[in-house]
Amino acid sequence: MIKNKLAAALILGVVFQVNPLFAQQKNIDKIDRKVDSVLRLMTLEEKIGQLNQYTGDRDATGPITTSPNKLKDIKDGKLGSMLNIRGAKETREVQEMAMQSRMKIPLIFGLDVIHGYRVTFPIPLAEAASWDLAELENAARVAGRESAASGIHWTFAPMVDIGRDPRWGRVMEGAGEDTYLGSKIAYARVKGFQGKGLGNLDAIMACVKHFAAYGAAIAGRDYAAVDMSDHSLWEYYLPPFKAALDAGAATFMNSFNTLNGIPATGNTYLQRDILKGKWGFKGFMVSDWGSIGEMVPHGYAKDKKQAAELAIKAGSDMDMESRSYLPNLGQLVKENKVSIALIDDAVRRVLRKKFELGLFDDPYRFSNATRQEKELNSAENKKASLKMAEKSIVLLKNNNQTLPLSKSLKKIAVIGPLAKSEKDMQGFWSVSWQNDKLVSLYEGLQNKIGNQTELLYAKGCEISDTSKAGFAAAIEVAKQADVVVMAVGEAYDMSGEAKSKANIQIPGVQEDLIKAIQATGKPVVVLIMAGRPLVFNWTADNVNAIMYTWWLGSEAGNAIANVLYGDYNPAGKLPMTFPRDEGQIPIYYNYLSTGRPSQNDKDTRYRSAYLDIQNSPKYTFGYGLSYTTFDYSNLKLSKTAMAMNDKINISFTLKNTGKFDGEEVVQVYLQDMFASVVRPVKELKDFQKVMLKAGESKAINFVIDKEKLSFFNQKLQWAAEPGDFKLMIGTASDNIKLESNFALTN
Ligand code: GLC
């Protein structure tokens, strides 16, 4: 008998060694068995409780709809999760209430850790400008570690909505306009948040949002309707969600918008056919705040009871703060309008994550004050934020070599309403800056050169009022200085949720202040701090040095100072197009040619062009300068025709031809010259961020394969079609350095 057991153990041992997938599957089966064992013991009301989520009393991001007796509901097992509760102590207290319920099922604590928890990182759109996937993953890793150390199990990030409309304030939260870059960043962020996997004490669940196409809200107005072809949905808006799922994302969140007339939260096509069906998603879908109940004002449900029925049938597993599920699902089951099987499936999905997080073993395992003390605001975490911030800065203009500044300068005037601001450096969706230092620009300059250069200061004006009373003092300060550094832009809450703007000029009279300071004749550097692309044509055309510094988080001032003085050579590239005028929006680089393409900005006769402004944007996707220069040469293709399952090796030489060591983001664009669905004039298909010392050359290699040539055809099949392709390699989408052509044959 013992021999048999030994033999069996050996065989299992070998099998586990040979096939980790086998081991993984065994673990999944084990958890499923545990889930079923819990489910069997639960009443219908307790099951429905797991699908109900309330907010804690702090940081509500929407109207509080929960009943005053939410704590009683927790003790009665009527809650599966709570958001906006944080801290080892606070989460432990709330978890202890859940442990008083009959089933003692632990709560999941969620929070919008969008760009950092205690150490604030640059806003996601700024991070996207780094094109540095390793750094992006690390930023999410730090946020995950700090959150997990504070009792948080789950972040409502990454937001992966493609954003082509800067009137929509939530572009600050995503990765910009491009599907390829957005997909790579979505993947990196999920990997960062989830680390080595759920169950690790420094890993938190990611939540991919907002499913789907929320960024295409009509007229850039938040929460507005989205109407698009299935082709556009599949080609441009869904791939970042699929990439996040491929990275192992534990949860998804649906979106407020209707998609082609159906609210996302009641959209079976999105949530069941695509996500849980075709893509095989095994995690759970949480609604956005109140979105289930909002199907009533959408005009899709006559009341919250019908909304609950539509949502659970469409695949919304958890109800965030609309209180539609708790009072109605039980009755719907009794009336045979909703099958218990649907409830059980949703509850299984939620319980499975609680097992994977280890919460059934120890509901308090993340609520550990000692770990919290050690992890938060650590030097390592602040250093990561500084590095990410440096990489996020985009140098837009540097005429007459105004930058980098010399450390021998005697007097610098720091002018503008954002020059000394700390709180605006946090940006929107910052969850834990309140009691932390955010380094302002002024402080960053003090830290860097305060003991060798005299810093003068004038606010000049407010961010958004119209008074010019401060101009005179600012002009006087400017006149005393060798160089003027100006900090203008948006307040931290001028981009973000429910922050749509029809006019995206720099607010108030800030650009008038720039004009007044420019008129002094002093060298001027303008730093624009904002959560979205802004329109600033006069500044762009008249000021010699301009940097887009977004909202850079805890280390903002230190990062900007390092870049101003060349201790970090800027390498950021815009992840979104900057329009000349709001009238051009939506404007993006991968547009379709049309039958009458405008050959240049003057060609308006019977061409697809405007009579009153140029077609081209102010700054295009992928644009960003460096203190050094790069030369692209010697493009070679291993072949100029490839069969379907073949590939083409591409190589070229990149040389740093300037005086500074620096990084270059080399971008590979393709154009499919003709296809069964019209293809964009160019599409980003690959990129590399390359560090080269001054004078250094390096061979850069890429591979073109069928995957890079594929698209969703008229039948929405992902496929490549034989034909001619143009290869473009450049330093920006409108600055192509090397071109060639190749063919794809049958
Ligand atoms: C908000 C946002 C969503 C966020 C949620 C919880 O309204 O749309 O992104 O995660 O509510 O705060």
Side-chain angles (χ1 to χ4, degrees):
M1 190 53 180
I2 292 175
K3 263 196 232 137
N4 290 345
K5 274 192 176 172
L6 194 61
L10 276 175
I11 291 164
L12 268 183
V14 167
V15 166
F16 271 84
Q17 285 308 315
V18 165
N19 181 347
L21 284 179
F22 181 88
Q24 190 185 13
Q25 186 53 49
K26 289 302 290 172
N27 186 39
I28 291 170
D29 296 344
K30 201 167 89 180
I31 288 183
D32 284 345
R33 282 197 300 278
K34 288 181 178 177
V35 166
D36 284 336
S37 66
V38 172
L39 198 70
R40 270 197 293 275
L41 302 174
M42 295 169 76
T43 64
L44 175 59
E45 194 179 44
E46 285 166 338
K47 291 178 180 178
I48 293 166
Q50 287 302 303
L51 310 183
N52 182 37
Q53 182 190 54
Y54 288 156
T55 183
D57 288 322
R58 303 173 59 177
D59 308 303
T61 52
I64 294 262
T65 57
T66 49
S67 64
N69 63 349
K70 72 173 92 173
L71 302 185
K72 181 178 178 309
D73 284 355
I74 296 173
K75 293 169 189 166
D76 292 347
K78 293 179 177 174
L79 209 61
S81 168
M82 185 166 255
L83 70 152
N84 297 332
I85 288 285
R86 58 167 137 206
K89 173 175 167 295
E90 295 78 359
T91 53
R92 180 177 286 272
E93 283 165 3
V94 177
Q95 197 69 288
E96 282 164 353
M97 294 176 199
M99 291 304 114
Q100 294 171 35
S101 65
R102 187 184 79 89
M103 283 298 299
K104 298 182 177 14
I105 296 174
L107 295 172
I108 298 179
F109 294 118
L111 186 68
D112 288 289
V113 185
I114 307 297
H115 53 106
Y117 176 72
R118 174 71 81 227
V119 169
T120 304
F121 279 76
I123 55 171
L125 189 60
E127 290 188 350
S130 73
W131 294 52
D132 190 322
L133 299 177
E135 207 64 55
L136 277 147
E137 180 172 343
N138 188 55
R141 187 79 297 273
V142 171
R145 273 206 316 268
E146 288 202 335
S147 309
S150 306
I152 305 297
H153 307 130
W154 182 23
T155 177
F156 303 125
M159 187 271 222
V160 304
D161 302 304
I162 291 296
R164 291 174 157 176
D165 187 335
R167 294 170 300 180
W168 187 55
R170 297 196 79 163
V171 292
M172 56 70 57
E173 206 177 330
E177 72 189 44
D178 182 68
T179 301
Y180 180 84
L181 179 62
S183 299
K184 292 290 182 188
I185 290 176
Y187 188 95
R189 284 190 166 138
V190 168
K191 286 293 184 189
F193 287 125
Q194 299 189 168
K196 294 191 181 66
L198 302 190
N200 284 290
L201 276 176
D202 65 355
I204 59 174
M205 294 200 297
C207 181
V208 197
K209 69 187 188 182
H210 303 80
F211 200 61
Y214 180 29
I218 200 129
R221 216 170 39 252
D222 210 350
Y223 315 123
V226 170
D227 224 77
M228 71 170 65
S229 66
D230 278 351
H231 180 264
S232 290
L233 177 70
W234 281 93
E235 187 71 38
Y236 302 110
Y237 288 82
L238 288 181
F241 289 96
K242 181 63 172 62
L245 181 58
D246 292 345
T251 68
F252 270 58
M253 179 186 288
N254 61 38
S255 55
F256 290 119
N257 55 285
T258 53
L259 175 64
N260 302 332
I262 313 276
T265 199
N267 200 309
T268 305
Y269 176 57
L270 283 176
Q271 298 181 133
R272 289 205 185 279
D273 300 351
I274 298 175
L275 182 63
K276 296 178 176 178
K278 186 174 176 64
W279 291 355
F281 174 57
K282 297 286 180 262
F284 69 86
M285 169 70 78
V286 63
S287 79
D288 200 341
W289 185 294
S291 70
I292 293 175
E294 289 177 6
M295 287 201 276
V296 178
H298 267 302
Y300 191 66
K302 68 177 184 305
D303 55 26
K304 278 194 171 182
K305 183 177 177 185
Q306 189 191 12
E309 177 185 353
L310 292 166
I312 193 77
K313 285 179 174 174
S316 291
D317 298 307
M318 185 179 279
D319 172 3
M320 177 193 285
E321 265 297 338
S322 95
R323 288 179 54 73
S324 301
Y325 279 6
L326 194 65
N328 293 301
L329 279 185
Q331 190 54 33
L332 287 162
V333 170
K334 290 188 180 86
E335 294 168 4
N336 287 322
K337 288 183 177 169
V338 168
S339 80
I340 187 64
L342 283 186
I343 306 282
D344 285 351
D345 175 63
V347 177
R348 275 198 186 87
R349 289 171 181 270
V350 173
L351 294 180
R352 194 177 292 131
K353 293 304 164 202
K354 294 186 177 184
F355 274 108
E356 288 174 24
L357 286 164
L359 294 175
F360 275 98
D361 297 333
D362 174 5
Y364 308 107
R365 63 193 302 257
F366 290 84
S367 306
N368 178 313
T370 312
R371 200 166 53 241
Q372 179 176 264
E373 185 55 33
K374 176 176 168 293
E375 182 59 52
L376 298 194
N377 227 12
S378 71
E380 181 195 351
N381 297 351
K382 286 196 274 191
K383 190 159 155 264
S385 178
L386 172 63
K387 211 169 156 201
M388 190 76 237
E390 290 170 341
K391 292 177 177 236
S392 304
I393 292 171
V394 183
L395 178 60
L396 296 178
K397 191 175 177 185
N398 187 24
N399 286 2
N400 305 343
Q401 304 312 310
T402 310
L403 292 171
L405 299 178
S406 157
K407 286 175 183 156
S408 62
L409 284 170
K410 291 291 163 246
K411 282 187 188 177
I412 292 183
V414 189
I415 295 176
L418 287 160
K420 285 194 171 182
S421 170
E422 292 172 1
K423 73 176 168 58
D424 294 311
M425 299 305 105
Q426 58 158 329
F428 200 78
W429 287 120
S430 175
V431 285
S432 207
W433 67 282
Q434 286 84 336
N435 46 6
D436 284 321
K437 216 63 194 100
L438 289 142
V439 180
S440 69
L441 166 67
Y442 189 84
E443 188 180 348
L445 288 169
Q446 271 181 321
N447 294 341
K448 189 145 195 90
I449 43 96
N451 54 13
Q452 66 207 51
T453 305
E454 185 182 354
L455 288 181
L456 310 174
Y457 168 74
K459 191 173 194 177
C461 64
E462 297 304 326
I463 290 175
S464 55
D465 80 19
T466 55
S467 163
K468 298 187 180 182
F471 279 29
I475 290 165
E476 278 320 302
V477 162
K479 284 178 177 169
Q480 297 166 45
D482 302 314
V483 169
V484 181
V485 176
M486 297 189 74
V488 298
E490 291 187 312
Y492 75 98
D493 59 357
M494 289 183 172
S495 287
E497 183 177 354
K499 306 295 182 185
S500 298
K501 293 166 92 173
N503 172 330
I504 56 171
Q505 317 264 331
I506 299 178
V509 294
Q510 297 181 76
E511 204 160 20
D512 294 334
L513 178 65
I514 295 170
K515 287 177 187 170
I517 299 301
Q518 178 80 351
T520 64
K522 295 287 181 178
V524 176
V525 179
V526 171
L527 309 174
I528 300 175
M529 303 167 167
R532 69 172 93 210
L534 294 177
V535 171
F536 46 94
N537 293 318
W538 187 90
T539 298
D541 295 341
N542 293 281
V543 172
N544 279 336
I546 306 168
M547 290 204 293
Y548 222 75
T549 66
W550 314 97
W551 290 316
L552 291 174
S554 300
E555 295 295 316
N558 292 331
I560 297 170
N562 287 345
V563 172
L564 284 173
Y565 281 91
D567 291 333
Y568 179 81
N569 182 358
K573 299 282 185 181
L574 296 177
M576 244 184 113
T577 298
F578 279 51
R580 295 174 189 280
D581 184 287
E582 294 87 348
Q584 294 177 299
I585 297 169
I587 182 170
Y588 42 90
Y589 85 96
N590 50 340
Y591 59 88
L592 303 184
S593 164
T594 79
R596 298 189 177 189
S598 171
Q599 304 309 329
N600 56 52
D601 274 335
K602 294 185 177 51
D603 178 359
T604 60
R605 186 170 163 70
Y606 300 114
R607 295 289 176 196
S608 177
Y610 300 104
L611 287 179
D612 51 352
I613 59 169
Q614 297 165 339
N615 258 9
S616 60
K618 196 66 187 174
Y619 299 105
T620 188
F621 173 79
Y623 174 82
L625 302 177
S626 167
Y627 291 148
T628 190
T629 50
F630 295 96
D631 178 71
Y632 291 61
S633 65
N634 200 18
L635 174 62
K636 290 197 181 74
L637 281 70
S638 59
K639 56 186 79 169
T640 54
M642 64 176 259
M644 206 48 93
N645 292 320
D646 199 349
K647 63 181 181 177
I648 296 179
N649 294 313
I650 292 168
S651 70
F652 70 93
T653 304
L654 183 72
K655 179 171 184 171
N656 179 340
T657 47
K659 303 198 303 295
F660 290 84
D661 299 351
E663 293 160 296
E664 168 72 328
V665 178
V666 295
Q667 301 154 46
V668 178
Y669 295 92
L670 293 181
Q671 180 180 9
D672 187 342
M673 303 312 286
F674 54 89
S676 63
V677 176
V678 172
R679 314 291 303 120
V681 293
K682 65 183 65 142
E683 283 185 295
L684 181 73
K685 290 295 180 183
D686 209 332
F687 65 88
Q688 282 181 37
K689 187 161 189 175
V690 184
M691 165 53 96
L692 289 180
K693 291 197 172 314
E696 184 185 4
S697 291
K698 191 174 178 188
I700 310 295
N701 300 294
F702 290 99
V703 174
I704 298 291
D705 58 13
K706 182 174 73 173
E707 185 65 15
K708 290 200 185 314
L709 308 182
S710 296
F711 61 95
F712 286 97
N713 63 23
Q714 287 186 26
K715 298 192 187 79
L716 291 181
Q717 297 152 339
W718 177 253
E721 293 174 1
D724 298 332
F725 290 81
K726 187 196 286 187
L727 166 70
M728 295 161 271
I729 296 176
T731 183
S733 60
D734 69 344
N735 192 348
I736 299 302
K737 301 288 188 184
L738 300 169
E739 274 195 31
S740 186
N741 300 290
F742 63 89
L744 174 64
T745 61
N746 269 325

